[in-house]
């Protein structure tokens, strides 16, 4: 295996969690994000590199975003694509034990409840920032409020969430 491919695979593994979070934000589905992450691994692992990649992380994220867009198009048209079994078996297992999964689900439910009980403006700003991925300036422009208001509402939201999650 070439050094470039090894580096690319290492970048994928190091950024898997960040990639999956990015995909959830982009496509709004944890299951779809997992599927895209696996398909990205398949593409990266089977890629024949003919030239050096300057920014491997950006390259992996671009592959994932393009795959997600393609999957959404196929879903809209009712097309399903299957990968060969030998390629699927090369995808590294990323399993979670049942106890950790249950704990994660409980914490997630608590977080959802806490966010639901935030004041409406605070909740809206928190969702725009943490779920939609907008920065403070973008939120301020979208809501026609000052950036400092966005920051203060985010601080308020984070403090309430932190207190409730202790």
């Amino acid at each position: 295996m070439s050094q470039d491919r090894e580096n690319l695979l290492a970048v994928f593994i190091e950024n898997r969690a960040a990639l999956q979070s990015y995909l959830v934000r982009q496509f709004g589905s944890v299951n779809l994000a997992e599927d895209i992450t696996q398909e990205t691994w398949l593409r990266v692992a089977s890629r024949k590199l003919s030239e050096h990649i300057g920014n491997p992380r950006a390259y992996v994220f671009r592959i994932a975003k393009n795959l997600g867009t393609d999957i959404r198009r196929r879903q809209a048209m009712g097309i399903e694509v299957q990968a060969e079994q030998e390629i699927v078996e090369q995808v590294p297992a990323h399993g979670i034990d049942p106890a950790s999964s249950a704990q994660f689900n409980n914490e997630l439910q608590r977080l959802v409840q806490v966010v639901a009980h935030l004041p409406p403006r605070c909740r809206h700003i928190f969702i725009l920032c943490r779920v939609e991925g907008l920065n403070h300036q973008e939120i301020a422009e979208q809501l026609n409020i000052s950036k400092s208001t966005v920051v203060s509402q985010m601080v308020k939201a984070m403090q309430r969430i932190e207190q409730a999650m202790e």
Side-chain angles (χ1 to χ4, degrees), residues 29-44:
S29 166
V30 172
N31 292 333
L32 180 58
E34 289 171 358
D35 290 345
I36 296 168
T37 301
Q38 290 178 352
E39 183 68 23
T40 301
W41 170 262
L42 295 173
R43 293 284 172 98
V44 169

Side-chain angles (χ1 to χ4, degrees):
M1 188 181 309
S2 74
Q3 184 66 32
D4 283 340
R5 178 166 299 131
E6 288 178 16
N7 289 341
L8 192 57
L9 293 174
V11 165
F12 175 87
I13 291 168
E14 290 170 10
N15 290 281
R16 182 183 177 116
L19 177 66
Q20 202 152 351
S21 295
Y22 166 77
L23 293 169
V24 169
R25 287 191 311 272
Q26 287 295 312
F27 299 103
S29 166
V30 172
N31 292 333
L32 180 58
E34 289 171 358
D35 290 345
I36 296 168
T37 301
Q38 290 178 352
E39 183 68 23
T40 301
W41 170 262
L42 295 173
R43 293 284 172 98
V44 169
S46 63
R47 190 80 176 182
K48 291 183 174 46
L49 299 175
S50 58
E51 60 186 55
H52 177 72
I53 297 170
N55 187 340
R57 185 176 190 274
Y59 181 77
V60 168
F61 275 68
R62 175 55 61 189
I63 289 173
K65 182 164 184 173
N66 290 344
L67 286 169
T69 301
D70 291 345
I71 288 171
R72 281 284 194 205
R73 285 184 192 137
R74 285 194 300 268
Q75 286 176 340
M77 297 185 324
I79 300 171
E80 198 170 307
V81 178
Q82 296 293 323
E84 295 176 23
Q85 186 61 30
E86 65 185 37
I87 294 175
V88 172
E89 290 171 358
Q90 293 177 8
V91 176
H94 192 67
I96 299 176
D97 65 279
S100 295
S101 179
Q103 180 181 357
F104 174 78
N105 286 335
N106 288 338
E107 289 178 8
L108 181 59
Q109 288 301 327
R110 273 189 18 221
L111 176 62
V112 168
Q113 288 174 349
V114 172
V115 171
H117 288 93
L118 290 172
R121 183 183 209 182
C122 186
R123 179 178 56 244
H124 186 66
I125 290 170
F126 176 81
I127 290 171
L128 288 173
C129 185
R130 297 298 179 166
V131 177
E132 300 292 326
L134 299 178
N135 65 38
H136 294 166
Q137 185 62 43
E138 292 168 332
I139 296 169
E141 290 170 4
Q142 183 175 335
L143 299 179
N144 199 25
I145 58 177
S146 70
K147 185 177 175 182
S148 63
T149 300
V150 172
V151 171
S152 68
Q153 290 295 305
M154 280 301 296
V155 168
K156 182 179 183 179
M158 296 304 291
Q159 286 173 339
R160 288 187 180 193
I161 291 168
E162 186 176 336
Q163 288 171 352
M165 297 300 286
E166 288 179 343

